[in-house]
Every structure is written in C-alpha cells, then in structure tokens.
Amino acid sequence: DFRVEGNGDANLLFIDAGNDKIGIGTNAPAKLLSLKKDGGGGAIGIDIHNTGTNDADDSLLTFETQGHRNFSLGIDRSASAFVVMSEADGLGTARITVDDSGNVGIGTSSPGSFNSQAQSLVIGSGSGDAGMSIFSGSGSGDSGNIFFADGTSGSDPVRGGITYKHDDNSLIFRV
C-alpha cells in the first residue's frame, strides 16, 4: 500500500495495492477509484479542464466496455453545449444536448435552432420517424398527461393540458 498525507488529511491519496484500488480521501476505496470528502456545506467534484481554445478542445468523460467506447459525456466546445454521445472517438453522435441557453435536444445537437417558442425540448433528428412516448399505468384511474402551466402554485401548474385516460380510452384536451 502507498499513502500520501495532506495538511489535515491522512488519506489524501491512498493506493490499496492488495486490491488494486485507489482512494482519494479514503483508505478503504470501494471501487477502482473512490473519492470521499465532507464538503462542509459546499460542493465537491471532479474538474476536467481543457485549456485549449480550438473548437475540437472538448472535455469528456468516457464509459467503455471491453475496449468498445459506448458513451461519452462532456462539453462540446464547438457547439457550446453539454452532450451525451454514443459510439464515439472524441465527439461522435450526440444523443442528448443541453445548450448554453438551457435548451435540450434529444436526437439533435442544435435545439436552439428551432422556433424560440418551442425550443426548450426538441425531440428527433430530422431524419425518419421521431416521437415521444408517455408510459403510464394502464389500470383504472391511470392516465398519461401533458400539462401547460402558468406557474407553480394553485391551479397554475395545470392551466391547460392533454390527458389520455386508460380506463375508457379517452383523450381529453383542457383549456
């Protein structure tokens, strides 16, 4: 085992050689890499900071199985967006994009390019079929809903809406 102590931290870095694990802030890492710290009321985190200034200087966290890169998530510098990608060497096919205005795209990497009245959530790639499914219970009284809200209190969260009722297979539009 190998340990690096910090100022007031006996386990700043701990390498458990017997179990092939690394701990930061712990001498008992539960996984290959374990991070543990009392934030004292503040956030703790991991900083991945690419100091480059080119469009391709992205910051990514990648998840692979058996040498096959399945998903990456991180910052796409050229799009000024946070993205979840699949099957990528670097930035590949964007599956979910959150742009710097907070617009979310599922299957599109540019949700902010759509009409400003309906760009908060964009679903589809513009190629082939696209859609959204609301998967709710199918018992008596169960329903699938889309609500149109004017606020968050009283009846404001449900000023208008579309409801599908499973018990009688009805579709209700409310205004």
Side-chain angles (χ1 to χ4, degrees), residues 32-100:
L32 184 61
L33 175 63
S34 294
L35 292 87
K36 188 173 185 178
K37 175 92 173 153
D38 178 347
I44 62 169
I46 298 172
D47 185 15
I48 301 173
H49 188 136
N50 186 335
T51 59
T53 58
N54 294 319
D55 278 353
D57 288 332
D58 303 315
S59 294
L60 301 173
L61 182 60
T62 300
F63 301 87
E64 296 184 40
T65 57
Q66 295 288 40
H68 179 74
R69 186 169 295 154
N70 291 328
F71 282 94
S72 297
L73 55 103
I75 303 298
D76 178 350
R77 183 181 180 87
S78 65
S80 296
F82 178 83
V83 292
V84 177
M85 298 135 309
S86 67
E87 305 291 331
D89 288 327
L91 287 178
T93 304
R95 301 301 181 192
I96 300 172
T97 302
V98 181
D99 70 15
D100 58 3

Tab-separated table of all heavy atoms in Angstrom, residues 32-100:
chain	number	residue	atom	x	y	z
A	32	LEU	N	-12.648	0.837	-8.112
A	32	LEU	CA	-11.331	1.044	-8.701
A	32	LEU	C	-10.781	2.426	-8.322
A	32	LEU	O	-9.620	2.581	-7.984
A	32	LEU	CB	-11.417	0.895	-10.223
A	32	LEU	CG	-10.108	1.000	-10.984
A	32	LEU	CD1	-9.144	-0.096	-10.559
A	32	LEU	CD2	-10.380	0.900	-12.478
A	33	LEU	N	-11.662	3.442	-8.348
A	33	LEU	CA	-11.324	4.790	-7.899
A	33	LEU	C	-12.453	5.280	-7.019
A	33	LEU	O	-13.607	5.348	-7.460
A	33	LEU	CB	-11.125	5.734	-9.092
A	33	LEU	CG	-10.890	7.204	-8.753
A	33	LEU	CD1	-9.604	7.391	-7.954
A	33	LEU	CD2	-10.848	8.044	-10.028
A	34	SER	N	-12.150	5.593	-5.772
A	34	SER	CA	-13.153	6.106	-4.837
A	34	SER	C	-12.720	7.473	-4.341
A	34	SER	O	-11.563	7.658	-3.945
A	34	SER	CB	-13.317	5.167	-3.638
A	34	SER	OG	-13.852	3.935	-4.025
A	35	LEU	N	-13.641	8.432	-4.365
A	35	LEU	CA	-13.395	9.768	-3.853
A	35	LEU	C	-14.342	10.003	-2.686
A	35	LEU	O	-15.542	9.746	-2.801
A	35	LEU	CB	-13.647	10.826	-4.929
A	35	LEU	CG	-12.672	10.820	-6.091
A	35	LEU	CD1	-13.112	9.861	-7.157
A	35	LEU	CD2	-12.531	12.202	-6.640
A	36	LYS	N	-13.804	10.498	-1.571
A	36	LYS	CA	-14.629	10.705	-0.391
A	36	LYS	C	-14.162	11.971	0.306
A	36	LYS	O	-12.968	12.151	0.548
A	36	LYS	CB	-14.504	9.503	0.541
A	36	LYS	CG	-15.463	9.519	1.692
A	36	LYS	CD	-15.372	8.198	2.449
A	36	LYS	CE	-16.401	8.137	3.543
A	36	LYS	NZ	-16.354	6.847	4.252
A	37	LYS	N	-15.111	12.858	0.634
A	37	LYS	CA	-14.760	14.117	1.282
A	37	LYS	C	-16.011	14.719	1.881
A	37	LYS	O	-17.076	14.673	1.270
A	37	LYS	CB	-14.166	15.088	0.247
A	37	LYS	CG	-13.862	16.471	0.741
A	37	LYS	CD	-12.464	16.572	1.223
A	37	LYS	CE	-12.128	18.016	1.566
A	37	LYS	NZ	-11.110	18.104	2.561
A	38	ASP	N	-15.908	15.243	3.082
A	38	ASP	CA	-17.001	16.009	3.684
A	38	ASP	C	-16.916	17.407	3.086
A	38	ASP	O	-15.929	18.121	3.295
A	38	ASP	CB	-16.841	16.052	5.200
A	38	ASP	CG	-17.920	16.865	5.898
A	38	ASP	OD1	-18.666	17.600	5.215
A	38	ASP	OD2	-18.008	16.768	7.124
A	39	GLY	N	-17.927	17.773	2.329
A	39	GLY	CA	-17.917	19.071	1.668
A	39	GLY	C	-18.103	20.238	2.617
A	39	GLY	O	-17.960	21.389	2.214
A	40	GLY	N	-18.458	19.957	3.886
A	40	GLY	CA	-18.615	21.040	4.855
A	40	GLY	C	-19.655	22.058	4.437
A	40	GLY	O	-19.506	23.241	4.689
A	41	GLY	N	-20.701	21.614	3.768
A	41	GLY	CA	-21.740	22.524	3.308
A	41	GLY	C	-21.522	23.027	1.895
A	41	GLY	O	-22.356	23.753	1.362
A	42	GLY	N	-20.416	22.657	1.278
A	42	GLY	CA	-20.128	23.082	-0.090
A	42	GLY	C	-20.013	21.885	-1.016
A	42	GLY	O	-19.987	20.740	-0.579
A	43	ALA	N	-19.942	22.151	-2.287
A	43	ALA	CA	-19.855	21.094	-3.294
A	43	ALA	C	-18.452	20.512	-3.356
A	43	ALA	O	-17.466	21.199	-3.081
A	43	ALA	CB	-20.236	21.646	-4.670
A	44	ILE	N	-18.382	19.235	-3.686
A	44	ILE	CA	-17.117	18.610	-4.038
A	44	ILE	C	-17.287	18.096	-5.455
A	44	ILE	O	-18.408	17.885	-5.914
A	44	ILE	CB	-16.708	17.485	-3.064
A	44	ILE	CG1	-17.721	16.351	-3.081
A	44	ILE	CG2	-16.519	18.017	-1.667
A	44	ILE	CD1	-17.249	15.115	-2.351
A	45	GLY	N	-16.222	17.903	-6.166
A	45	GLY	CA	-16.387	17.450	-7.541
A	45	GLY	C	-15.072	17.099	-8.194
A	45	GLY	O	-14.022	17.089	-7.563
A	46	ILE	N	-15.176	16.809	-9.455
A	46	ILE	CA	-14.027	16.499	-10.294
A	46	ILE	C	-13.978	17.566	-11.378
A	46	ILE	O	-14.985	17.834	-12.025
A	46	ILE	CB	-14.163	15.106	-10.932
A	46	ILE	CG1	-14.225	14.028	-9.843
A	46	ILE	CG2	-13.022	14.843	-11.899
A	46	ILE	CD1	-14.560	12.660	-10.381
A	47	ASP	N	-12.829	18.160	-11.572
A	47	ASP	CA	-12.675	19.212	-12.573
A	47	ASP	C	-11.894	18.660	-13.757
A	47	ASP	O	-10.740	18.257	-13.618
A	47	ASP	CB	-11.935	20.396	-11.955
A	47	ASP	CG	-11.827	21.581	-12.888
A	47	ASP	OD1	-12.558	21.616	-13.896
A	47	ASP	OD2	-11.017	22.479	-12.619
A	48	ILE	N	-12.556	18.603	-14.912
A	48	ILE	CA	-11.884	18.233	-16.155
A	48	ILE	C	-11.825	19.514	-16.975
A	48	ILE	O	-12.839	19.987	-17.465
A	48	ILE	CB	-12.649	17.124	-16.910
A	48	ILE	CG1	-12.776	15.878	-16.038
A	48	ILE	CG2	-11.965	16.807	-18.236
A	48	ILE	CD1	-13.657	14.798	-16.633
A	49	HIS	N	-10.649	20.085	-17.079
A	49	HIS	CA	-10.500	21.413	-17.676
A	49	HIS	C	-9.539	21.345	-18.853
A	49	HIS	O	-8.347	21.159	-18.672
A	49	HIS	CB	-9.962	22.376	-16.613
A	49	HIS	CG	-9.954	23.793	-17.055
A	49	HIS	ND1	-10.368	24.813	-16.248
A	49	HIS	CD2	-9.581	24.378	-18.211
A	49	HIS	CE1	-10.248	25.964	-16.882
A	49	HIS	NE2	-9.762	25.714	-18.081
A	50	ASN	N	-10.064	21.485	-20.056
A	50	ASN	CA	-9.241	21.547	-21.254
A	50	ASN	C	-8.896	23.017	-21.476
A	50	ASN	O	-9.780	23.832	-21.719
A	50	ASN	CB	-10.009	20.967	-22.447
A	50	ASN	CG	-9.159	20.859	-23.692
A	50	ASN	OD1	-8.190	21.577	-23.857
A	50	ASN	ND2	-9.541	19.953	-24.580
A	51	THR	N	-7.637	23.369	-21.385
A	51	THR	CA	-7.233	24.769	-21.513
A	51	THR	C	-7.047	25.206	-22.961
A	51	THR	O	-6.752	26.369	-23.224
A	51	THR	CB	-5.920	25.033	-20.742
A	51	THR	OG1	-4.897	24.192	-21.270
A	51	THR	CG2	-6.105	24.787	-19.254
A	52	GLY	N	-7.250	24.291	-23.911
A	52	GLY	CA	-7.129	24.640	-25.325
A	52	GLY	C	-8.247	25.571	-25.760
A	52	GLY	O	-9.282	25.697	-25.115
A	53	THR	N	-8.045	26.238	-26.885
A	53	THR	CA	-9.026	27.198	-27.388
A	53	THR	C	-9.567	26.839	-28.765
A	53	THR	O	-10.328	27.600	-29.344
A	53	THR	CB	-8.410	28.612	-27.432
A	53	THR	OG1	-7.245	28.587	-28.262
A	53	THR	CG2	-8.049	29.101	-26.035
A	54	ASN	N	-9.174	25.690	-29.314
A	54	ASN	CA	-9.686	25.257	-30.614
A	54	ASN	C	-11.055	24.621	-30.446
A	54	ASN	O	-11.394	24.105	-29.384
A	54	ASN	CB	-8.733	24.245	-31.261
A	54	ASN	CG	-7.406	24.871	-31.609
A	54	ASN	OD1	-7.345	25.990	-32.096
A	54	ASN	ND2	-6.329	24.159	-31.324
A	55	ASP	N	-11.873	24.635	-31.509
A	55	ASP	CA	-13.214	24.059	-31.451
A	55	ASP	C	-13.219	22.592	-31.032
A	55	ASP	O	-14.166	22.120	-30.423
A	55	ASP	CB	-13.922	24.198	-32.802
A	55	ASP	CG	-14.550	25.570	-32.986
A	55	ASP	OD1	-14.542	26.361	-32.018
A	55	ASP	OD2	-15.051	25.842	-34.088
A	56	ALA	N	-12.159	21.862	-31.343
A	56	ALA	CA	-12.102	20.433	-31.008
A	56	ALA	C	-11.556	20.173	-29.600
A	56	ALA	O	-11.448	19.019	-29.194
A	56	ALA	CB	-11.265	19.694	-32.038
A	57	ASP	N	-11.222	21.222	-28.843
A	57	ASP	CA	-10.689	21.057	-27.491
A	57	ASP	C	-11.839	20.824	-26.505
A	57	ASP	O	-12.218	21.708	-25.736
A	57	ASP	CB	-9.867	22.287	-27.083
A	57	ASP	CG	-8.546	22.357	-27.811
A	57	ASP	OD1	-8.032	21.295	-28.185
A	57	ASP	OD2	-8.033	23.473	-28.001
A	58	ASP	N	-12.393	19.616	-26.544
A	58	ASP	CA	-13.534	19.259	-25.714
A	58	ASP	C	-13.064	18.628	-24.408
A	58	ASP	O	-11.925	18.186	-24.289
A	58	ASP	CB	-14.435	18.270	-26.470
A	58	ASP	CG	-14.899	18.829	-27.806
A	58	ASP	OD1	-15.309	20.001	-27.851
A	58	ASP	OD2	-14.843	18.095	-28.795
A	59	SER	N	-13.926	18.587	-23.420
A	59	SER	CA	-13.663	17.907	-22.152
A	59	SER	C	-14.677	16.793	-22.012
A	59	SER	O	-15.884	17.040	-22.031
A	59	SER	CB	-13.803	18.882	-20.985
A	59	SER	OG	-12.812	19.871	-21.047
A	60	LEU	N	-14.192	15.534	-21.880
A	60	LEU	CA	-15.082	14.378	-21.909
A	60	LEU	C	-14.803	13.408	-20.780
A	60	LEU	O	-13.684	13.275	-20.320
A	60	LEU	CB	-14.905	13.601	-23.220
A	60	LEU	CG	-15.153	14.334	-24.516
A	60	LEU	CD1	-14.759	13.448	-25.690
A	60	LEU	CD2	-16.611	14.710	-24.613
A	61	LEU	N	-15.829	12.694	-20.401
A	61	LEU	CA	-15.738	11.529	-19.539
A	61	LEU	C	-16.341	10.388	-20.343
A	61	LEU	O	-17.476	10.481	-20.803
A	61	LEU	CB	-16.527	11.754	-18.244
A	61	LEU	CG	-16.504	10.652	-17.206
A	61	LEU	CD1	-15.078	10.376	-16.739
A	61	LEU	CD2	-17.379	11.046	-16.029
A	62	THR	N	-15.570	9.319	-20.556
A	62	THR	CA	-15.992	8.254	-21.455
A	62	THR	C	-16.172	6.945	-20.698
A	62	THR	O	-15.385	6.618	-19.819
A	62	THR	CB	-14.948	8.066	-22.576
A	62	THR	OG1	-14.842	9.297	-23.301
A	62	THR	CG2	-15.346	6.972	-23.535
A	63	PHE	N	-17.221	6.209	-21.048
A	63	PHE	CA	-17.527	4.912	-20.457
A	63	PHE	C	-17.398	3.852	-21.543
A	63	PHE	O	-18.037	3.952	-22.578
A	63	PHE	CB	-18.952	4.903	-19.891
A	63	PHE	CG	-19.161	5.957	-18.848
A	63	PHE	CD1	-19.548	7.237	-19.200
A	63	PHE	CD2	-18.947	5.669	-17.511
A	63	PHE	CE1	-19.728	8.224	-18.240
A	63	PHE	CE2	-19.123	6.643	-16.546
A	63	PHE	CZ	-19.515	7.925	-16.902
A	64	GLU	N	-16.551	2.856	-21.306
A	64	GLU	CA	-16.294	1.810	-22.290
A	64	GLU	C	-16.522	0.438	-21.675
A	64	GLU	O	-16.382	0.263	-20.473
A	64	GLU	CB	-14.841	1.857	-22.762
A	64	GLU	CG	-14.447	3.098	-23.488
A	64	GLU	CD	-13.018	3.009	-24.007
A	64	GLU	OE1	-12.614	1.936	-24.479
A	64	GLU	OE2	-12.315	4.021	-23.922
A	65	THR	N	-16.849	-0.520	-22.534
A	65	THR	CA	-16.863	-1.927	-22.131
A	65	THR	C	-16.047	-2.711	-23.139
A	65	THR	O	-16.194	-2.526	-24.348
A	65	THR	CB	-18.298	-2.498	-22.085
A	65	THR	OG1	-18.913	-2.332	-23.360
A	65	THR	CG2	-19.134	-1.807	-21.033
A	66	GLN	N	-15.141	-3.544	-22.643
A	66	GLN	CA	-14.296	-4.406	-23.479
A	66	GLN	C	-13.650	-3.645	-24.633
A	66	GLN	O	-13.669	-4.094	-25.773
A	66	GLN	CB	-15.099	-5.597	-24.032
A	66	GLN	CG	-15.579	-6.537	-22.973
A	66	GLN	CD	-14.439	-7.347	-22.376
A	66	GLN	OE1	-13.347	-6.864	-22.133
A	66	GLN	NE2	-14.706	-8.600	-22.106
A	67	GLY	N	-13.138	-2.469	-24.354
A	67	GLY	CA	-12.442	-1.696	-25.370
A	67	GLY	C	-13.346	-1.016	-26.378
A	67	GLY	O	-12.880	-0.365	-27.296
A	68	HIS	N	-14.658	-1.160	-26.221
A	68	HIS	CA	-15.616	-0.536	-27.141
A	68	HIS	C	-16.186	0.698	-26.452
A	68	HIS	O	-16.804	0.592	-25.413
A	68	HIS	CB	-16.730	-1.525	-27.473
A	68	HIS	CG	-17.772	-0.979	-28.387
A	68	HIS	ND1	-17.549	-0.798	-29.722
A	68	HIS	CD2	-19.038	-0.568	-28.149
A	68	HIS	CE1	-18.643	-0.302	-30.282
A	68	HIS	NE2	-19.550	-0.154	-29.336
A	69	ARG	N	-15.942	1.874	-27.005
A	69	ARG	CA	-16.424	3.108	-26.398
A	69	ARG	C	-17.920	3.222	-26.650
A	69	ARG	O	-18.360	3.358	-27.777
A	69	ARG	CB	-15.690	4.301	-26.985
A	69	ARG	CG	-16.048	5.597	-26.290
A	69	ARG	CD	-15.139	6.711	-26.679
A	69	ARG	NE	-13.801	6.404	-26.217
A	69	ARG	CZ	-12.701	6.884	-26.779
A	69	ARG	NH1	-12.763	7.684	-27.793
A	69	ARG	NH2	-11.519	6.576	-26.316
A	70	ASN	N	-18.699	3.144	-25.597
A	70	ASN	CA	-20.151	3.188	-25.729
A	70	ASN	C	-20.713	4.597	-25.571
A	70	ASN	O	-21.446	5.059	-26.416
A	70	ASN	CB	-20.805	2.259	-24.703
A	70	ASN	CG	-20.527	0.808	-25.020
A	70	ASN	OD1	-20.401	0.435	-26.170
A	70	ASN	ND2	-20.398	0.005	-23.988
A	71	PHE	N	-20.396	5.259	-24.475
A	71	PHE	CA	-20.950	6.584	-24.226
A	71	PHE	C	-19.899	7.515	-23.661
A	71	PHE	O	-19.053	7.115	-22.877
A	71	PHE	CB	-22.126	6.527	-23.248
A	71	PHE	CG	-23.390	6.055	-23.889
A	71	PHE	CD1	-23.744	4.723	-23.859
A	71	PHE	CD2	-24.227	6.941	-24.542
A	71	PHE	CE1	-24.899	4.271	-24.453
A	71	PHE	CE2	-25.387	6.507	-25.141
A	71	PHE	CZ	-25.726	5.173	-25.101
A	72	SER	N	-19.993	8.775	-24.065
A	72	SER	CA	-19.168	9.841	-23.513
A	72	SER	C	-20.085	10.983	-23.138
A	72	SER	O	-21.132	11.178	-23.754
A	72	SER	CB	-18.149	10.344	-24.542
A	72	SER	OG	-17.248	9.340	-24.911
A	73	LEU	N	-19.689	11.726	-22.136
A	73	LEU	CA	-20.430	12.935	-21.806
A	73	LEU	C	-19.434	14.017	-21.485
A	73	LEU	O	-18.332	13.748	-21.013
A	73	LEU	CB	-21.404	12.708	-20.644
A	73	LEU	CG	-20.872	12.163	-19.338
A	73	LEU	CD1	-20.741	13.277	-18.321
A	73	LEU	CD2	-21.875	11.139	-18.832
A	74	GLY	N	-19.814	15.235	-21.811
A	74	GLY	CA	-18.913	16.347	-21.568
A	74	GLY	C	-19.277	17.576	-22.367
A	74	GLY	O	-20.405	17.719	-22.839
A	75	ILE	N	-18.298	18.448	-22.517
A	75	ILE	CA	-18.500	19.735	-23.177
A	75	ILE	C	-18.055	19.648	-24.634
A	75	ILE	O	-16.923	19.276	-24.927
A	75	ILE	CB	-17.696	20.837	-22.474
A	75	ILE	CG1	-18.078	20.929	-20.996
A	75	ILE	CG2	-17.876	22.180	-23.177
A	75	ILE	CD1	-19.516	21.294	-20.738
A	76	ASP	N	-18.965	19.970	-25.540
A	76	ASP	CA	-18.640	20.121	-26.960
A	76	ASP	C	-18.367	21.603	-27.168
A	76	ASP	O	-19.285	22.412	-27.233
A	76	ASP	CB	-19.810	19.642	-27.826
A	76	ASP	CG	-19.552	19.815	-29.316
A	76	ASP	OD1	-18.560	20.470	-29.699
A	76	ASP	OD2	-20.370	19.308	-30.099
A	77	ARG	N	-17.087	21.946	-27.216
A	77	ARG	CA	-16.685	23.352	-27.296
A	77	ARG	C	-17.248	24.037	-28.542
A	77	ARG	O	-17.694	25.179	-28.488
A	77	ARG	CB	-15.159	23.453	-27.266
A	77	ARG	CG	-14.653	24.863	-27.275
A	77	ARG	CD	-13.122	24.867	-27.256
A	77	ARG	NE	-12.633	26.205	-27.254
A	77	ARG	CZ	-12.447	26.935	-26.169
A	77	ARG	NH1	-12.726	26.433	-24.999
A	77	ARG	NH2	-11.992	28.168	-26.260
A	78	SER	N	-17.256	23.343	-29.673
A	78	SER	CA	-17.709	23.971	-30.920
A	78	SER	C	-19.196	24.307	-30.883
A	78	SER	O	-19.639	25.236	-31.536
A	78	SER	CB	-17.406	23.075	-32.118
A	78	SER	OG	-18.156	21.880	-32.046
A	79	ALA	N	-19.978	23.564	-30.104
A	79	ALA	CA	-21.423	23.813	-30.019
A	79	ALA	C	-21.805	24.564	-28.748
A	79	ALA	O	-22.985	24.852	-28.539
A	79	ALA	CB	-22.174	22.484	-30.071
A	80	SER	N	-20.844	24.885	-27.890
A	80	SER	CA	-21.119	25.496	-26.586
A	80	SER	C	-22.233	24.740	-25.870
A	80	SER	O	-23.233	25.310	-25.456
A	80	SER	CB	-21.510	26.972	-26.742
A	80	SER	OG	-20.439	27.701	-27.273
A	81	ALA	N	-22.045	23.423	-25.742
A	81	ALA	CA	-23.108	22.588	-25.194
A	81	ALA	C	-22.536	21.432	-24.380
A	81	ALA	O	-21.411	20.990	-24.607
A	81	ALA	CB	-23.962	22.031	-26.329
A	82	PHE	N	-23.356	20.958	-23.441
A	82	PHE	CA	-23.081	19.720	-22.719
A	82	PHE	C	-23.763	18.614	-23.498
A	82	PHE	O	-24.937	18.733	-23.846
A	82	PHE	CB	-23.633	19.789	-21.289
A	82	PHE	CG	-23.408	18.523	-20.518
A	82	PHE	CD1	-22.197	18.286	-19.894
A	82	PHE	CD2	-24.398	17.560	-20.429
A	82	PHE	CE1	-21.971	17.110	-19.184
A	82	PHE	CE2	-24.185	16.383	-19.722
A	82	PHE	CZ	-22.975	16.159	-19.101
A	83	VAL	N	-23.045	17.529	-23.795
A	83	VAL	CA	-23.601	16.480	-24.644
A	83	VAL	C	-23.373	15.095	-24.048
A	83	VAL	O	-22.416	14.856	-23.322
A	83	VAL	CB	-23.004	16.523	-26.073
A	83	VAL	CG1	-23.443	17.770	-26.817
A	83	VAL	CG2	-21.489	16.453	-26.048
A	84	VAL	N	-24.298	14.189	-24.370
A	84	VAL	CA	-24.133	12.757	-24.135
A	84	VAL	C	-24.083	12.138	-25.514
A	84	VAL	O	-24.986	12.340	-26.336
A	84	VAL	CB	-25.306	12.165	-23.321
A	84	VAL	CG1	-25.143	10.665	-23.165
A	84	VAL	CG2	-25.412	12.846	-21.962
A	85	MET	N	-22.969	11.427	-25.798
A	85	MET	CA	-22.742	10.881	-27.136
A	85	MET	C	-22.620	9.368	-27.072
A	85	MET	O	-22.333	8.815	-26.019
A	85	MET	CB	-21.451	11.435	-27.737
A	85	MET	CG	-21.482	12.904	-27.920
A	85	MET	SD	-19.988	13.748	-27.370
A	85	MET	CE	-19.699	13.187	-25.762
A	86	SER	N	-22.799	8.726	-28.222
A	86	SER	CA	-22.585	7.283	-28.295
A	86	SER	C	-21.644	6.952	-29.441
A	86	SER	O	-21.505	7.720	-30.389
A	86	SER	CB	-23.915	6.558	-28.489
A	86	SER	OG	-24.466	6.857	-29.747
A	87	GLU	N	-21.002	5.773	-29.315
A	87	GLU	CA	-20.140	5.227	-30.373
A	87	GLU	C	-19.185	6.276	-30.909
A	87	GLU	O	-19.163	6.537	-32.102
A	87	GLU	CB	-21.002	4.687	-31.520
A	87	GLU	CG	-22.028	3.673	-31.097
A	87	GLU	CD	-21.433	2.360	-30.665
A	87	GLU	OE1	-20.357	1.985	-31.159
A	87	GLU	OE2	-22.041	1.706	-29.812
A	88	ALA	N	-18.363	6.847	-30.032
A	88	ALA	CA	-17.576	7.995	-30.465
A	88	ALA	C	-16.088	7.811	-30.231
A	88	ALA	O	-15.674	7.214	-29.263
A	88	ALA	CB	-18.043	9.226	-29.719
A	89	ASP	N	-15.300	8.342	-31.128
A	89	ASP	CA	-13.893	8.629	-30.895
A	89	ASP	C	-13.845	10.136	-30.775
A	89	ASP	O	-13.913	10.844	-31.771
A	89	ASP	CB	-13.019	8.161	-32.060
A	89	ASP	CG	-12.895	6.649	-32.111
A	89	ASP	OD1	-12.899	6.036	-31.026
A	89	ASP	OD2	-12.807	6.099	-33.216
A	90	GLY	N	-13.766	10.632	-29.553
A	90	GLY	CA	-13.957	12.055	-29.331
A	90	GLY	C	-15.449	12.315	-29.341
A	90	GLY	O	-16.214	11.535	-28.825
A	91	LEU	N	-15.871	13.386	-29.958
A	91	LEU	CA	-17.304	13.677	-30.038
A	91	LEU	C	-17.892	12.962	-31.238
A	91	LEU	O	-17.503	13.183	-32.356
A	91	LEU	CB	-17.557	15.184	-30.167
A	91	LEU	CG	-17.324	15.979	-28.908
A	91	LEU	CD1	-17.551	17.454	-29.186
A	91	LEU	CD2	-18.227	15.516	-27.796
A	92	GLY	N	-18.850	12.090	-30.995
A	92	GLY	CA	-19.493	11.335	-32.061
A	92	GLY	C	-20.928	11.788	-32.238
A	92	GLY	O	-21.202	12.965	-32.368
A	93	THR	N	-21.841	10.843	-32.214
A	93	THR	CA	-23.245	11.133	-32.425
A	93	THR	C	-23.872	11.631	-31.135
A	93	THR	O	-23.951	10.890	-30.146
A	93	THR	CB	-23.976	9.865	-32.913
A	93	THR	OG1	-23.324	9.392	-34.094
A	93	THR	CG2	-25.428	10.158	-33.200
A	94	ALA	N	-24.321	12.873	-31.130
A	94	ALA	CA	-24.965	13.440	-29.942
A	94	ALA	C	-26.329	12.798	-29.753
A	94	ALA	O	-27.137	12.751	-30.674
A	94	ALA	CB	-25.110	14.953	-30.087
A	95	ARG	N	-26.562	12.263	-28.569
A	95	ARG	CA	-27.861	11.668	-28.231
A	95	ARG	C	-28.695	12.626	-27.407
A	95	ARG	O	-29.903	12.705	-27.565
A	95	ARG	CB	-27.667	10.356	-27.474
A	95	ARG	CG	-26.886	9.319	-28.249
A	95	ARG	CD	-27.570	8.980	-29.545
A	95	ARG	NE	-26.818	7.956	-30.262
A	95	ARG	CZ	-27.043	7.636	-31.505
A	95	ARG	NH1	-27.958	8.259	-32.200
A	95	ARG	NH2	-26.332	6.697	-32.084
A	96	ILE	N	-28.045	13.373	-26.495
A	96	ILE	CA	-28.716	14.402	-25.697
A	96	ILE	C	-27.797	15.613	-25.687
A	96	ILE	O	-26.590	15.484	-25.472
A	96	ILE	CB	-28.967	13.936	-24.250
A	96	ILE	CG1	-29.852	12.693	-24.219
A	96	ILE	CG2	-29.592	15.056	-23.423
A	96	ILE	CD1	-29.994	12.060	-22.850
A	97	THR	N	-28.364	16.785	-25.938
A	97	THR	CA	-27.603	18.027	-25.950
A	97	THR	C	-28.309	19.050	-25.076
A	97	THR	O	-29.522	19.226	-25.183
A	97	THR	CB	-27.505	18.606	-27.381
A	97	THR	OG1	-26.886	17.635	-28.230
A	97	THR	CG2	-26.724	19.892	-27.417
A	98	VAL	N	-27.550	19.699	-24.194
A	98	VAL	CA	-28.064	20.837	-23.428
A	98	VAL	C	-27.200	22.020	-23.835
A	98	VAL	O	-26.001	22.047	-23.537
A	98	VAL	CB	-27.972	20.597	-21.908
A	98	VAL	CG1	-28.542	21.799	-21.156
A	98	VAL	CG2	-28.696	19.313	-21.507
A	99	ASP	N	-27.812	22.983	-24.535
A	99	ASP	CA	-27.003	24.113	-24.998
A	99	ASP	C	-26.851	25.140	-23.885
A	99	ASP	O	-27.444	25.025	-22.809
A	99	ASP	CB	-27.550	24.703	-26.295
A	99	ASP	CG	-28.866	25.451	-26.164
A	99	ASP	OD1	-29.279	25.801	-25.037
A	99	ASP	OD2	-29.504	25.695	-27.206
A	100	ASP	N	-26.031	26.165	-24.122
A	100	ASP	CA	-25.732	27.128	-23.066
A	100	ASP	C	-26.908	28.029	-22.708
A	100	ASP	O	-26.832	28.807	-21.766
A	100	ASP	CB	-24.482	27.946	-23.404
A	100	ASP	CG	-24.579	28.702	-24.706
A	100	ASP	OD1	-25.636	28.658	-25.370
A	100	ASP	OD2	-23.584	29.336	-25.088
